[in-house]
Amino acid sequence: MTDSVFKDKVVIITGASSGIGRELAYQLAAQGAWLSLAARNVKRLETVSADCQARGGKAIAVPTDVGNQAQCQALIRETVNHYKRIDVLINNAGITMWAKFEDLLDLGMIEQIMRVNYFGSVYCTYYALPYLKQTKGQIVAISSLTGKAGVPTRSAYAASKHAMAGFFDTLRIEIAEYGVGVTMIYPDFVSSEVRERALGPDGQPLRKSPVREKEVMPVKTCAQMIIRAMEQRKRELIMTLRGRVGQWLKLIAPSVVDRIALQAINKGR
């Protein structure tokens, strides 16, 4: 194990039991980070924690539903009680959907997605911020390209990711004087398990991904890019050429971006 920016740094990762969160945990553990891992699935979380320790890091598993404010507060409290400080908070936990708005059978799905993706990030950040100010630490928010543009079948998900962007871009300005960095991450499609748990029109998980998972970015590559952005304390990272070009097109030909988004959903990649 070689020295790295994150050796002996205390890093909280929400949504750490699978997908991007789990891979971030593995890669940071290999760099010697001290991890506080949060997710709802206790069995998976404890397995990831043990795997991280085997890779050379320290890790504790803190079962947490980020949609519950009290549990977010407890996550921060337990982390500080164990490690005595916080250096990095990675707001990664999230749920998605795959349904047109007009087909939804229960609008409670929208509240659920907002509670986990947006409010979960807000809650964790609120309770972690005093400790991050002490260490001049870093907040990382895992958003999505849907946080930059509308995407069909993702109305509530896009709304939650746009809300995250507005919140963290504002917070960055407010806390700059304390030396706390804020890094926004905007992945394109990534091969993770998130879409198998995507909510369909009835609010139940699809259980089968509608995306061609073998044709999209591997989760290992995604995590590597996120960690590089963290090391450089970047303002934001848009991961793909399609995403970066889309930001320019949105300014001069927004209808073209709409068509690209529709084609991406129809093709599943």
Side-chain angles (χ1 to χ4, degrees):
M1 182 179 65
T2 57
D3 286 352
S4 79
V5 172
F6 300 107
K7 180 175 172 57
D8 299 338
K9 295 294 186 181
V10 178
V11 183
I12 298 174
I13 305 175
T14 66
S17 63
S18 63
I20 294 173
R22 178 176 60 196
E23 185 60 32
L24 283 169
Y26 287 163
Q27 293 189 25
L28 288 168
Q31 295 186 23
W34 299 358
L35 302 171
S36 178
L37 306 175
R40 291 180 300 170
N41 190 311
V42 178
K43 187 174 180 180
R44 278 189 174 190
L45 192 64
E46 290 177 343
T47 298
V48 174
S49 178
D51 289 344
C52 286
Q53 293 174 61
R55 283 167 166 77
K58 295 182 180 180
I60 58 171
V62 187
T64 306
D65 177 356
V66 297
N68 182 301
Q69 184 176 348
Q71 290 188 34
C72 292
Q73 184 177 19
L75 166 64
I76 303 307
R77 182 173 60 247
E78 189 161 342
T79 302
V80 173
N81 286 343
H82 189 86
Y83 291 123
K84 309 307 178 189
R85 69 177 194 277
I86 301 172
D87 296 297
V88 183
L89 168 65
I90 302 178
N91 289 298
N92 169 72
I95 55 174
T96 188
M97 64 181 289
W98 202 282
K100 290 182 178 179
F101 177 72
E102 64 181 334
D103 294 334
L104 297 184
L105 301 179
D106 182 1
L107 292 180
M109 178 202 294
I110 295 177
E111 296 180 11
Q112 181 183 1
I113 291 172
M114 288 296 293
R115 188 167 62 249
V116 173
N117 296 359
Y118 174 62
F119 284 107
S121 296
V122 171
Y123 296 152
C124 289
T125 299
Y126 179 82
Y127 292 111
L129 187 56
Y131 303 101
L132 291 166
K133 286 163 66 175
Q134 292 172 8
T135 60
K136 296 186 177 179
Q138 184 175 18
I139 299 165
V140 181
I142 310 297
S143 182
S144 162
L145 277 184
T146 60
K148 291 284 191 180
V151 177
T153 72
R154 304 294 188 82
S155 55
Y157 181 72
S160 70
K161 295 301 185 178
H162 274 73
M164 284 179 68
F167 174 77
F168 285 108
D169 283 347
T170 299
L171 186 66
R172 181 188 295 110
I173 301 168
E174 292 182 354
I175 64 178
E177 64 180 296
Y178 304 113
V180 180
V182 177
T183 299
M184 289 295 300
I185 305 293
Y186 296 98
D188 204 323
F189 283 135
V190 176
S191 183
S192 68
E193 298 151 53
V194 67
R195 279 172 296 278
E196 295 173 12
R197 300 190 301 274
L199 304 180
D202 59 355
Q204 298 302 309
L206 295 178
R207 303 193 183 283
K208 182 179 179 181
S209 174
V211 167
R212 300 178 187 179
E213 298 290 343
K214 293 182 179 179
E215 298 180 25
V216 300
M217 180 180 288
V219 69
K220 183 175 181 178
T221 302
C222 176
Q224 289 171 340
M225 294 178 69
I226 293 171
I227 290 172
R228 282 199 296 272
M230 290 166 57
E231 289 172 344
Q232 298 166 18
R233 294 174 75 94
K234 283 189 172 182
R235 177 188 180 92
E236 68 175 32
L237 171 65
I238 299 176
M239 288 191 162
T240 60
L241 178 62
R242 174 169 67 178
R244 292 188 291 272
V245 171
Q247 296 311 296
W248 289 101
L249 282 175
K250 191 176 179 182
L251 297 174
I252 59 175
S255 62
V256 174
V257 178
D258 292 348
R259 290 197 295 273
I260 291 172
L262 181 59
Q263 288 172 2
I265 292 299
N266 290 338
K267 292 180 179 178
R269 60 181 174 85

